[in-house]
Amino acid sequence: MQKREELYRGKAKTVYTTDDSNKLILHFRNDTSAFDGEKIEQLERKGEVNNKFNHFIMTKLEDAGIATQVESLVSDTESLVKKLDMIPVECVVRNVAAGSLVRRLGVEEGKELTPPLFEFFLKNDALHDPMVNDYHIISFGWATADQIEKMKALTFEVNSVLKRLFDDAGMILVDYKLEFGLDDAGNIVLGDEFTPDGCRLWDKATRKKMDKDRFRQGLGSVVETYIEVAERLGLKL
Ligand code: ADP
Ligand code: UDP
């Protein structure tokens, strides 16, 4: 597979076209950003760790029958994926209260959410990714009602697979963000990434934060902790 030109450079990944018009290469860089790109640092090995972590998780989801972008790992920091027409919203599921939910509603961090919550955010850094609902998405034409139902159902399917996977490895899946896109046949497919950059994971026994909150809150040992998460899942890095 030949890499062609750079299509898009985001905050953490660069997207390249390839000689197959239906496939892209995602390059996971060491750049780590928080607060809509206000805080940016290079963290040694993060690109490699996230690339391999994402491939591992997407393969688990694919094995569980969820359609994902996954094709193959092409280098330590690059993956070949299906090219998707991305829907510009983030799908967030929360099993435990944390982050913006706590700030917005003044609820206690750590409160178990039964049933889990689902929220949509518009992908727009300049507007700080505002929360939107189904009506905004349909009215502005970002997705149809049917596509919305599919994204919700798939995001909850991911929750059943991953909650269990992390629980078995001694971690709580607090919340996470997914992005979906349409493949060339118009099917909704999971794209982007699932890594500790886009979810919250707490150690079950000590509640130690094992995700990007270590970076956001300046807790240190960011990549070391991502590696610990991977190793607990049985992924050798
Ligand atoms: P951001 O755009 O938020 O700064 P990244 O640095 O992660 O984020 O950039 C990756 C970009 O690639 C995102 O805009 C994402 O929506 C897009 N993307 C991820 N997976 C795919 C895919 N399979 N096909 C097309 N675009 C994708
Ligand atoms: N998230 C993300 N990208 C975003 C916004 C959120 O990956 O642009 C993830 C975040 O890491 C967390 C979940 O989505 O796991 C919920 O994030 P929240 O709304 O609490 O926002 P935060 O306080 O993390 O900015």
Side-chain angles (χ1 to χ4, degrees), residues 36 90 92-94 98-101 103-104 119 121 125 129 175-177 196-200 212-213 216:
D36 301 315
E90 302 183 332
V92 170
V93 160
R94 302 179 187 273
S100 72
L101 179 74
R103 294 194 296 276
R104 194 181 338 120
E119 296 171 342
F121 295 89
D125 282 337
D129 292 354
D175 58 30
Y176 56 91
K177 179 270 296 180
D197 268 2
C199 69
R200 287 193 170 88
K212 198 157 91 173
D213 272 348
R216 292 190 189 96

Short mmCIF file of all heavy atoms in Angstrom, two decimals, residues 36 90 92-94 98-101 103-104 119 121 125 129 175-177 196-200 212-213 216, ligand 2:
data_model
loop_
_atom_site.label_atom_id
_atom_site.label_comp_id
_atom_site.label_asym_id
_atom_site.label_seq_id
_atom_site.Cartn_x
_atom_site.Cartn_y
_atom_site.Cartn_z
N ASP A 36 -9.44 22.07 23.76
CA ASP A 36 -9.62 22.51 22.37
C ASP A 36 -8.32 23.02 21.75
O ASP A 36 -8.32 24.01 21.01
CB ASP A 36 -10.71 23.59 22.27
CG ASP A 36 -12.04 23.09 22.80
OD1 ASP A 36 -12.42 21.96 22.45
OD2 ASP A 36 -12.67 23.84 23.57
N GLU A 90 -19.63 14.07 17.66
CA GLU A 90 -18.99 13.12 18.56
C GLU A 90 -20.08 12.46 19.38
O GLU A 90 -20.99 13.13 19.87
CB GLU A 90 -18.03 13.87 19.49
CG GLU A 90 -16.96 14.64 18.72
CD GLU A 90 -15.95 15.33 19.62
OE1 GLU A 90 -16.31 15.69 20.76
OE2 GLU A 90 -14.81 15.51 19.16
N VAL A 92 -20.90 10.49 22.69
CA VAL A 92 -20.31 10.23 24.01
C VAL A 92 -21.27 9.39 24.84
O VAL A 92 -22.46 9.71 24.94
CB VAL A 92 -19.98 11.56 24.75
CG1 VAL A 92 -19.60 11.32 26.20
CG2 VAL A 92 -18.85 12.29 24.01
N VAL A 93 -20.75 8.31 25.41
CA VAL A 93 -21.50 7.53 26.39
C VAL A 93 -20.80 7.67 27.73
O VAL A 93 -19.57 7.65 27.80
CB VAL A 93 -21.65 6.05 25.97
CG1 VAL A 93 -21.98 5.16 27.17
CG2 VAL A 93 -22.78 5.91 24.95
N ARG A 94 -21.60 7.83 28.79
CA ARG A 94 -21.05 7.98 30.14
C ARG A 94 -21.65 6.92 31.06
O ARG A 94 -22.88 6.88 31.23
CB ARG A 94 -21.41 9.35 30.71
CG ARG A 94 -20.92 10.52 29.87
CD ARG A 94 -21.35 11.83 30.50
NE ARG A 94 -21.04 12.97 29.65
CZ ARG A 94 -19.87 13.61 29.67
NH1 ARG A 94 -18.92 13.26 30.49
NH2 ARG A 94 -19.67 14.64 28.87
N ALA A 98 -18.26 12.39 35.14
CA ALA A 98 -16.92 12.99 35.15
C ALA A 98 -16.90 14.12 34.12
O ALA A 98 -17.87 14.30 33.37
CB ALA A 98 -15.85 11.95 34.80
N GLY A 99 -15.80 14.87 34.09
CA GLY A 99 -15.54 15.84 33.03
C GLY A 99 -16.62 16.90 32.87
O GLY A 99 -17.11 17.46 33.85
N SER A 100 -17.00 17.15 31.62
CA SER A 100 -17.90 18.27 31.34
C SER A 100 -19.29 18.06 31.94
O SER A 100 -19.99 19.03 32.22
CB SER A 100 -18.01 18.52 29.82
OG SER A 100 -18.73 17.50 29.19
N LEU A 101 -19.68 16.81 32.16
CA LEU A 101 -21.00 16.56 32.78
C LEU A 101 -21.03 17.11 34.20
O LEU A 101 -22.00 17.75 34.61
CB LEU A 101 -21.28 15.04 32.79
CG LEU A 101 -22.62 14.67 33.43
CD1 LEU A 101 -23.78 15.02 32.51
CD2 LEU A 101 -22.67 13.19 33.79
N ARG A 103 -19.10 19.49 35.38
CA ARG A 103 -19.03 20.96 35.34
C ARG A 103 -20.39 21.56 34.95
O ARG A 103 -20.82 22.57 35.48
CB ARG A 103 -17.96 21.43 34.34
CG ARG A 103 -16.54 21.04 34.77
CD ARG A 103 -15.49 21.80 33.96
NE ARG A 103 -15.53 21.48 32.54
CZ ARG A 103 -14.92 20.44 31.97
NH1 ARG A 103 -14.22 19.60 32.72
NH2 ARG A 103 -15.00 20.21 30.67
N ARG A 104 -21.08 20.90 34.00
CA ARG A 104 -22.32 21.45 33.46
C ARG A 104 -23.47 21.33 34.44
O ARG A 104 -24.29 22.23 34.59
CB ARG A 104 -22.66 20.74 32.14
CG ARG A 104 -23.71 21.39 31.31
CD ARG A 104 -24.04 20.63 30.01
NE ARG A 104 -23.01 19.73 29.55
CZ ARG A 104 -23.19 18.40 29.41
NH1 ARG A 104 -24.35 17.84 29.64
NH2 ARG A 104 -22.20 17.64 29.00
N GLU A 119 -24.67 11.47 24.82
CA GLU A 119 -24.69 12.89 24.43
C GLU A 119 -24.01 13.05 23.06
O GLU A 119 -23.05 12.36 22.77
CB GLU A 119 -23.91 13.74 25.45
CG GLU A 119 -24.52 13.77 26.82
CD GLU A 119 -23.63 14.42 27.88
OE1 GLU A 119 -22.41 14.55 27.65
OE2 GLU A 119 -24.16 14.78 28.93
N PHE A 121 -21.99 15.86 20.61
CA PHE A 121 -21.30 17.15 20.55
C PHE A 121 -20.95 17.42 19.10
O PHE A 121 -20.55 16.50 18.38
CB PHE A 121 -20.02 17.13 21.40
CG PHE A 121 -20.28 16.96 22.87
CD1 PHE A 121 -20.36 15.69 23.44
CD2 PHE A 121 -20.47 18.07 23.69
CE1 PHE A 121 -20.62 15.53 24.79
CE2 PHE A 121 -20.72 17.92 25.05
CZ PHE A 121 -20.80 16.64 25.60
N ASP A 125 -13.88 22.99 16.99
CA ASP A 125 -12.99 23.54 18.02
C ASP A 125 -13.25 25.02 18.29
O ASP A 125 -13.22 25.45 19.43
CB ASP A 125 -11.52 23.37 17.60
CG ASP A 125 -11.04 21.94 17.82
OD1 ASP A 125 -11.63 21.24 18.65
OD2 ASP A 125 -10.08 21.53 17.14
N ASP A 129 -16.70 22.63 20.67
CA ASP A 129 -17.50 21.39 20.57
C ASP A 129 -18.81 21.47 21.38
O ASP A 129 -18.98 20.74 22.36
CB ASP A 129 -16.68 20.18 21.08
CG ASP A 129 -15.53 19.84 20.17
OD1 ASP A 129 -15.39 20.45 19.09
OD2 ASP A 129 -14.75 18.95 20.54
N ASP A 175 -16.23 6.94 30.64
CA ASP A 175 -16.91 7.54 29.49
C ASP A 175 -16.00 7.45 28.27
O ASP A 175 -14.82 7.08 28.40
CB ASP A 175 -17.33 9.01 29.76
CG ASP A 175 -16.16 9.92 30.14
OD1 ASP A 175 -15.03 9.68 29.68
OD2 ASP A 175 -16.39 10.89 30.89
N TYR A 176 -16.53 7.75 27.10
CA TYR A 176 -15.71 7.71 25.89
C TYR A 176 -16.43 8.43 24.76
O TYR A 176 -17.65 8.64 24.81
CB TYR A 176 -15.40 6.26 25.44
CG TYR A 176 -16.62 5.41 25.21
CD1 TYR A 176 -17.23 5.33 23.96
CD2 TYR A 176 -17.18 4.72 26.26
CE1 TYR A 176 -18.35 4.57 23.77
CE2 TYR A 176 -18.32 3.95 26.07
CZ TYR A 176 -18.89 3.88 24.83
OH TYR A 176 -20.03 3.13 24.65
N LYS A 177 -15.63 8.76 23.74
CA LYS A 177 -16.14 9.47 22.57
C LYS A 177 -15.87 8.63 21.32
O LYS A 177 -14.77 8.10 21.15
CB LYS A 177 -15.39 10.80 22.47
CG LYS A 177 -15.75 11.69 21.32
CD LYS A 177 -14.95 11.51 20.07
CE LYS A 177 -13.49 11.82 20.18
NZ LYS A 177 -12.78 11.61 18.90
N PRO A 196 -6.78 5.78 25.03
CA PRO A 196 -6.93 6.51 26.30
C PRO A 196 -6.97 8.03 26.11
O PRO A 196 -7.26 8.75 27.06
CB PRO A 196 -5.69 6.08 27.10
CG PRO A 196 -5.32 4.74 26.53
CD PRO A 196 -5.60 4.87 25.07
N ASP A 197 -6.72 8.52 24.89
CA ASP A 197 -6.89 9.95 24.62
C ASP A 197 -8.36 10.35 24.53
O ASP A 197 -8.69 11.53 24.69
CB ASP A 197 -6.26 10.31 23.25
CG ASP A 197 -4.80 10.75 23.38
OD1 ASP A 197 -4.27 10.76 24.50
OD2 ASP A 197 -4.22 11.08 22.33
N GLY A 198 -9.24 9.39 24.23
CA GLY A 198 -10.64 9.73 23.98
C GLY A 198 -11.61 9.02 24.88
O GLY A 198 -12.80 8.89 24.56
N CYS A 199 -11.10 8.54 26.02
CA CYS A 199 -12.01 7.90 26.98
C CYS A 199 -11.49 8.17 28.39
O CYS A 199 -10.41 8.73 28.55
CB CYS A 199 -12.09 6.39 26.73
SG CYS A 199 -10.59 5.47 27.11
N ARG A 200 -12.28 7.83 29.38
CA ARG A 200 -11.78 7.87 30.76
C ARG A 200 -11.78 6.45 31.31
O ARG A 200 -12.78 5.72 31.16
CB ARG A 200 -12.65 8.78 31.65
CG ARG A 200 -12.47 10.24 31.36
CD ARG A 200 -13.08 11.15 32.45
NE ARG A 200 -12.66 12.52 32.20
CZ ARG A 200 -13.32 13.37 31.41
NH1 ARG A 200 -14.45 13.01 30.83
NH2 ARG A 200 -12.86 14.59 31.22
N LYS A 212 -6.41 10.36 29.40
CA LYS A 212 -5.88 11.71 29.09
C LYS A 212 -6.09 12.71 30.22
O LYS A 212 -5.46 13.78 30.21
CB LYS A 212 -6.46 12.23 27.78
CG LYS A 212 -5.62 13.38 27.24
CD LYS A 212 -5.77 13.59 25.75
CE LYS A 212 -6.85 14.54 25.42
NZ LYS A 212 -6.88 14.88 24.00
N ASP A 213 -6.91 12.41 31.20
CA ASP A 213 -7.02 13.31 32.36
C ASP A 213 -5.66 13.45 33.05
O ASP A 213 -5.39 14.47 33.69
CB ASP A 213 -8.08 12.82 33.36
CG ASP A 213 -9.47 13.36 33.03
OD1 ASP A 213 -9.57 14.28 32.19
OD2 ASP A 213 -10.45 12.87 33.62
N ARG A 216 -4.46 16.33 31.05
CA ARG A 216 -5.26 17.55 31.29
C ARG A 216 -4.96 18.12 32.68
O ARG A 216 -4.86 19.31 32.86
CB ARG A 216 -6.76 17.21 31.24
CG ARG A 216 -7.29 16.83 29.87
CD ARG A 216 -8.84 16.75 29.91
NE ARG A 216 -9.37 16.20 28.68
CZ ARG A 216 -9.70 14.93 28.52
NH1 ARG A 216 -9.57 14.06 29.52
NH2 ARG A 216 -10.18 14.49 27.36
N1 UDP B 2 -13.69 13.51 24.33
C1 UDP B 2 -12.83 13.43 23.26
N2 UDP B 2 -12.72 14.48 22.40
C2 UDP B 2 -13.41 15.62 22.57
C3 UDP B 2 -14.30 15.73 23.67
C4 UDP B 2 -14.40 14.65 24.54
O1 UDP B 2 -12.19 12.39 23.06
O2 UDP B 2 -13.27 16.56 21.75
C5 UDP B 2 -13.83 12.38 25.27
C6 UDP B 2 -13.17 12.65 26.61
O3 UDP B 2 -11.83 12.17 26.61
C7 UDP B 2 -14.03 11.87 27.57
C8 UDP B 2 -15.43 11.90 26.92
O4 UDP B 2 -15.21 12.19 25.54
O5 UDP B 2 -13.62 10.52 27.65
C9 UDP B 2 -16.34 12.92 27.53
O6 UDP B 2 -15.69 14.18 27.53
P1 UDP B 2 -16.31 15.42 28.30
O7 UDP B 2 -17.58 15.85 27.63
O8 UDP B 2 -16.42 15.11 29.75
O9 UDP B 2 -15.27 16.58 28.03
P2 UDP B 2 -13.87 16.90 28.69
O10 UDP B 2 -14.11 17.35 30.07
O11 UDP B 2 -13.10 15.61 28.63
O12 UDP B 2 -13.31 17.94 27.78
#
